[in-house]
Amino acid sequence: MLFKNIETKRLILKNISTDDREFIFNQFSNDMVNRYLFDAEPLINIEDADELINFYIQPEPRLQHRWIIIRKSDGVKMGTCGYHCWNQKNCKVEVGYDLQEEFWGNGYMQESMRELITFAINYMNIKEIYAYIYVENQRSIHLVEKLGFALIGSSYEIFRNRKYLHNIYSRYISNLT
């Protein structure tokens, strides 16, 4: 199995599972978590959480994966992070992440994302990592810039018949990284 649980100094990145049903429902029905997510409607019932989990636990090999971010000190689930649209042929992948507001500003997502970058390099043969970020999501923009991503363009996401401008950030991985 390629995707495994990951441990950092303060966190456990646990593979998403059916046991995370309540957390996933609470996470993706939360207005603050969904504030800048323009790719899916907020969850409105627990069965929606099951659908999302099932998407991420398809048998490997798969082109997406998600981890639950858990604080080691107390076992609290704080958010999620993972990969979308893994292009194995071109060695590229898109990252996505979300964190409950009460945990913002503590470096948890930076710690998680550093591990995702390392995992992508060591286990997925990734040469380029992308992040699509809504232009008003300044915290997320600041995060990827701190992690060495560069702005390479922009595109509109159509959601609920409205256009939302997203910046596209990229980080190339060299053999020296």
Side-chain angles (χ1 to χ4, degrees):
M1 175 171 31
L2 171 65
F3 297 109
K4 59 184 182 176
N5 292 342
I6 300 171
E7 193 169 329
T8 72
K9 183 178 178 183
R10 300 182 296 163
L11 306 171
I12 295 171
L13 306 183
K14 182 189 86 60
N15 289 323
I16 194 170
S17 72
T18 54
D19 295 340
D20 300 307
R21 182 179 203 229
E22 292 291 329
F23 173 75
I24 290 298
F25 175 71
N26 291 332
Q27 183 75 356
F28 292 103
S29 62
N30 179 301
D31 289 338
M32 285 306 290
V33 170
N34 284 295
R35 183 174 178 191
Y36 299 121
L37 301 180
F38 299 109
D39 59 352
E41 293 291 338
L43 302 185
I44 56 172
N45 60 55
I46 196 73
E47 289 77 22
D48 293 342
D50 295 335
E51 276 186 48
L52 187 61
I53 291 168
N54 287 333
F55 175 72
Y56 284 110
I57 62 172
Q58 294 299 310
E60 292 185 36
R62 59 177 174 263
L63 304 179
Q64 69 281 340
H65 189 73
R66 205 81 175 171
W67 286 273
I68 306 293
I69 302 168
I70 302 171
R71 188 168 51 195
K72 279 185 185 179
S73 64
D74 57 9
V76 170
K77 295 177 181 180
M78 302 183 293
T80 76
C81 60
Y83 306 113
H84 308 280
C85 308
W86 180 13
N87 183 327
Q88 295 171 325
K89 180 181 175 190
N90 294 323
C91 303
K92 299 178 181 184
V93 72
E94 180 185 340
V95 291
Y97 45 87
D98 49 85
L99 193 65
Q100 293 173 8
E101 184 179 17
E102 66 192 273
F103 304 110
W104 293 357
N106 294 295
Y108 294 126
M109 194 54 71
Q110 184 174 345
E111 190 172 328
S112 298
M113 289 302 296
R114 285 190 192 286
E115 288 302 315
L116 259 63
I117 292 166
T118 300
F119 187 92
I121 294 166
N122 292 339
Y123 297 100
M124 299 169 65
N125 192 35
I126 295 300
K127 304 297 180 206
E128 187 174 8
I129 301 174
Y130 289 95
Y132 289 78
I133 302 171
Y134 181 55
V135 295
E136 292 180 18
N137 190 345
Q138 291 302 308
R139 284 182 168 278
S140 187
I141 289 169
H142 181 69
L143 170 68
V144 296
E145 288 174 344
K146 281 176 75 173
L147 293 170
F149 285 70
L151 178 63
I152 61 166
S154 61
S155 69
Y156 283 97
E157 291 287 327
I158 307 295
F159 186 68
R160 296 180 182 154
N161 296 316
R162 289 187 55 202
K163 289 183 176 181
Y164 295 91
L165 185 61
H166 283 63
N167 287 334
I168 305 167
Y169 290 86
S170 173
R171 177 171 170 180
Y172 288 95
I173 308 302
S174 71
N175 292 335
L176 303 174
T177 305

